[in-house]
Amino acid sequence: MATGSSAVGRSCLAGFVDPEAAKCTSTISSRQTIHFPNHRNHQPLCSLSMNGCQGDHPQLPLGTIETRSFPAVPSPSLAVDTLSSALSQLKANPPPFTSGIIRLQVPIQQQIEAIDWLYAQNKLLPRCFFSDRAQTGNSKLSIDYTNGKLNGQNPKKHNKLVSVAGVGSAVFFQDLHPFSYRHWKSLKRFLSTECPLIRAYGAIRFDARANISSEWEAFGYFYFMVPQVEFDELEDSSILATTIAWDNSLSCTLGNAIDELKATMHQISSIVLKLQKQVPSTLMLSNSHIPSKTYWDLAVNRALQKIRSDSALIKVVLARSSRVITATDIDPIAWLACLQVEGKNAYQFCLQPPGAPAFIGNTPEQLFHRTWLDIDSEALAGTRARGKSLSEDLQIELELLSSPKDHLEFTIVRESIRKKLENVCDSVVVEPKKAIRKLPRVQHLYAKLAGKLRSEDDEFEILSSLHPSPAVCGFPTEEARVLIAETEVFDRGMYAGPVGWFGGGESEFAVGIRSALVGKGLGALIYAGTGVVEGSNALSEWDELELKISQFTKLLKLEMPLGIKS
């Protein structure tokens, strides 16, 4: 099997590092890549917003962080009118600060799905989407959505945030160095507990030390954005909001920020039509896997040999990239809408920087959720298909619960997360210790872990230590990283990395699995991985990959038209 050099393997160290300790630049990997068209010469004005990672003083507070709310209106078009008027007034009467971030928001008296609004925006870039898991009810914060502030009471019934869509960037965060504590402080500078709906949405690479291949180049080592225009879907209403960020020291004045936002607002569509959750199947002209089935067998058997030898390796997660080329372009937002049908107990996400394909996914796995100092995490491992009947489903569940191989894989994940939480928490509770989480196509072993951080700065520590978990890398982490780097000949990019958002007083990240990179004109790259432990076999693990990507492949027609068959 084609391998990376041993130097590449040895360089796979911590996923989050101090940029001064390792000057990494964005280079094109020798690994196999897929080339997506570059549209950087045709970026909309909103893509020129400031990079919050620049500057020498990331810890200096902004002059002001505000949320300004306006009376509710019946429709999105009236909300656009209200916000446009408010922007003109803000420019005429600017606040006396050289830096700041201001959110203007208008409640809408109807429940509109955020993904429908995003689909209507005609590919304005950058764009993002994040949907919480419908059944979790994670948030312990109570937000008064009429003013965007914390009210200190129990959340009102039907007043929970369901999903968020955004276009344009009021401020984005990206660097040619891996995500570090300095970057985290730069990002948190624009957030406040007084304005909890000002959030930065984004993702971080799976491996900070691996070279960036061309299809992931526009994402950098990480990419976060505070949207210029944002649509918040609540359980019984909606919010349309705009956010203006400026900092004279970063050569971005309030006037320039308002002008850029106005340019974006001129492109916002107020006509929102209900998306069909079942798009017509797209004809697939070709599909291929990296690695192929033959090389996959070799890779799994090689990993098993290492596990059985005297090495410290107990588990490694090997991944596959499946490239599909289609007869017509795949719309990533339409695909994402279809994933929502299967996503009642999963996160849906989309992240697309300017000049990049869209990274979309439907992941069941939480990395962590922080509310003040309270932190939750999950262990998820072991995979089985759902049964065709209730009795068959229960039989498969019993097999999963009693499988020694899956119990080993799951225990490795759970105990690793527990130990990492104990490093920054006074106490950690694991409940349930082992249960089943059922999704529409698959079921997994599952445990929930909770603790209390000693300080808010521990958020960066917990992010950097929890990622990568044994569920997406292996155990011990370093031995697994080295083997992955030596074995895989494609760039995982943000696949299996942290995907989510930072906010004031609250942050939430999922693990970017069950995901795909979708680019105009060139189909998609669909990613999946599976854990290899003692007792694994290559055929079963390949079948598990097929099961995990089935939510994407079900949207494709496998047969070729007669004119294309050879």
Side-chain angles (χ1 to χ4, degrees):
M1 179 169 194
T3 63
S5 68
S6 60
V8 172
R10 288 193 299 271
S11 70
C12 290
L13 303 175
F16 302 84
V17 300
D18 188 313
E20 298 305 318
K23 294 290 187 179
C24 299
T25 57
S26 178
T27 59
I28 303 301
S29 172
S30 60
R31 299 176 177 185
Q32 298 186 37
T33 61
I34 177 172
H35 296 278
F36 289 93
N38 192 317
H39 303 295
R40 290 178 181 171
N41 294 329
H42 304 284
Q43 293 179 23
L45 184 60
C46 64
S47 68
L48 304 178
S49 301
M50 67 178 172
N51 185 350
C53 287
Q54 295 174 340
D56 298 325
H57 306 289
Q59 298 187 34
L60 289 179
L62 296 180
T64 184
I65 301 179
E66 306 175 35
T67 294
R68 301 182 183 182
S69 299
F70 299 89
V73 297
S75 67
S77 61
L78 290 175
V80 169
D81 293 342
T82 299
L83 291 172
S84 297
S85 176
L87 284 174
S88 297
Q89 294 177 16
L90 182 63
K91 189 168 186 180
N93 300 283
F97 303 105
T98 59
S99 65
I101 185 167
I102 298 176
R103 173 183 165 102
L104 309 173
Q105 62 179 25
V106 180
I108 300 172
Q109 296 166 330
Q110 56 177 306
Q111 202 263 3
I112 299 170
E113 291 191 33
I115 200 165
D116 294 339
W117 179 86
L118 186 61
Y119 185 75
Q121 301 319 315
N122 196 27
K123 304 188 187 306
L124 272 171
L125 297 180
R127 60 182 171 182
C128 64
F129 179 88
F130 192 84
S131 179
D132 196 5
R133 295 183 297 187
Q135 298 176 1
T136 56
N138 279 331
S139 181
K140 300 183 178 84
L141 289 181
S142 177
I143 300 173
D144 186 342
Y145 292 100
T146 61
N147 60 26
K149 295 184 178 181
L150 304 179
N151 61 23
Q153 302 172 359
N154 291 328
K156 297 178 182 179
K157 186 178 181 180
H158 304 309
N159 199 29
K160 296 177 183 177
L161 189 59
V162 176
S163 57
V164 173
V167 296
S169 62
V171 54
F172 70 95
F173 304 88
Q174 188 181 38
D175 204 345
L176 295 180
H177 305 299
F179 192 69
S180 69
Y181 180 78
R182 177 179 67 84
H183 295 127
W184 179 76
K185 293 295 286 187
S186 297
L187 192 151
K188 297 289 282 189
R189 180 173 177 245
F190 289 84
L191 307 176
S192 168
T193 57
E194 294 299 311
C195 301
L197 291 179
I198 297 178
R199 297 171 172 176
Y201 297 88
I204 302 171
R205 283 177 62 79
F206 168 76
D207 189 342
R209 297 295 180 89
N211 289 335
I212 301 177
S213 57
S214 59
E215 68 269 22
W216 290 105
E217 189 177 10
F219 290 82
Y221 282 94
F222 59 92
Y223 187 91
F224 287 90
M225 57 181 279
V226 177
Q228 276 185 321
V229 184
E230 177 181 308
F231 194 92
D232 299 335
E233 174 190 344
L234 310 181
E235 289 188 342
D236 65 351
S237 60
S238 311
I239 296 174
L240 185 67
T242 59
T243 301
I244 310 100
W246 75 99
D247 189 338
N248 292 356
S249 68
L250 297 179
S251 302
C252 182
T253 65
L254 175 60
N256 289 340
I258 292 176
D259 288 343
E260 288 184 9
L261 178 51
K262 282 187 171 182
T264 302
M265 289 294 288
H266 283 312
Q267 301 176 71
I268 293 296
S269 171
S270 298
I271 301 174
V272 179
L273 300 177
K274 188 71 175 176
L275 254 178
Q276 295 296 321
K277 299 294 185 178
Q278 291 183 339
V279 297
S281 294
T282 303
L283 186 68
M284 184 167 62
L285 301 181
S286 68
N287 71 310
S288 58
H289 305 298
I290 302 175
S292 67
K293 179 64 169 61
T294 299
Y295 284 107
W296 172 262
D297 292 349
L298 292 173
V300 171
N301 291 330
R302 178 176 177 235
L304 287 171
Q305 288 176 359
K306 282 188 171 292
I307 291 170
R308 292 163 183 161
S309 70
D310 294 332
S311 73
L313 188 67
I314 299 174
K315 172 185 176 179
V316 64
V317 178
L318 298 180
R320 186 185 75 181
S321 169
S322 300
R323 180 182 179 181
V324 297
I325 297 177
T326 53
T328 57
D329 288 335
I330 298 171
D331 188 298
I333 306 304
W335 258 27
L336 193 60
C338 292
L339 296 181
Q340 278 193 316
V341 175
E342 300 196 16
K344 298 303 182 184
N345 205 13
Y347 301 93
Q348 295 83 49
F349 64 84
C350 173
L351 183 67
Q352 187 172 15
F359 180 47
I360 65 172
N362 181 47
T363 173
E365 188 167 346
Q366 180 190 77
L367 186 63
F368 75 88
H369 178 247
R370 180 186 69 85
T371 308
W372 303 122
L373 295 180
D374 292 331
I375 188 156
D376 299 317
S377 187
E378 293 176 354
L380 207 68
T383 303
R384 291 289 191 280
R386 295 296 303 272
K388 296 179 181 179
S389 65
L390 178 59
S391 60
E392 183 184 12
D393 196 57
L394 291 174
Q395 179 61 37
I396 294 173
E397 174 184 330
L398 181 61
E399 291 173 0
L400 180 56
L401 285 168
S402 58
S403 164
K405 178 259 183 184
D406 290 290
H407 177 74
L408 171 62
E409 183 179 351
F410 171 72
T411 303
I412 291 169
V413 173
R414 184 190 64 199
E415 293 308 297
S416 173
I417 295 173
R418 181 182 61 80
K419 290 177 181 178
K420 290 175 179 178
L421 286 175
E422 287 177 344
N423 290 333
V424 291
C425 296
D426 290 326
S427 64
V428 175
V429 177
V430 184
E431 186 63 39
K433 290 183 171 58
K434 182 179 176 181
I436 293 288
R437 167 162 286 172
K438 292 184 182 289
L439 302 167
R441 290 174 179 265
V442 295
Q443 47 191 318
H444 304 285
L445 295 174
Y446 158 81
K448 183 177 178 65
L449 301 93
K452 185 178 288 290
L453 299 175
R454 299 185 182 101
S455 74
E456 188 171 321
D457 276 10
D458 287 333
E459 177 181 72
F460 174 79
E461 180 67 25
I462 203 66
L463 173 62
S464 58
S465 63
L466 284 180
H467 173 75
S469 80
V472 293
C473 181
F475 187 82
T477 302
E478 263 333 293
E479 284 77 1
R481 278 180 182 274
V482 169
L483 184 56
I484 290 170
E486 292 175 345
T487 302
E488 293 181 0
V489 292
F490 66 93
D491 179 14
R492 289 193 183 190
M494 269 63 181
Y495 162 70
V499 179
W501 53 271
F502 291 106
E506 185 178 18
S507 300
E508 184 163 21
F509 280 84
V511 182
I513 56 174
R514 316 293 157 85
S515 54
L517 201 59
V518 181
K520 184 177 181 180
L522 283 166
L525 289 170
I526 307 172
Y527 300 94
T530 181
V532 178
V533 297
E534 182 63 46
S536 296
N537 72 79
L539 178 60
S540 296
E541 305 304 336
W542 183 269
D543 290 342
E544 183 173 317
L545 296 177
E546 293 292 299
L547 178 62
K548 287 176 175 176
I549 71 168
S550 62
Q551 59 183 323
F552 290 101
T553 56
K554 71 170 186 175
L555 304 174
L556 300 168
K557 289 182 179 178
L558 302 182
E559 63 272 11
M560 291 184 177
L562 292 176
I564 296 178
K565 289 182 178 178
S566 56

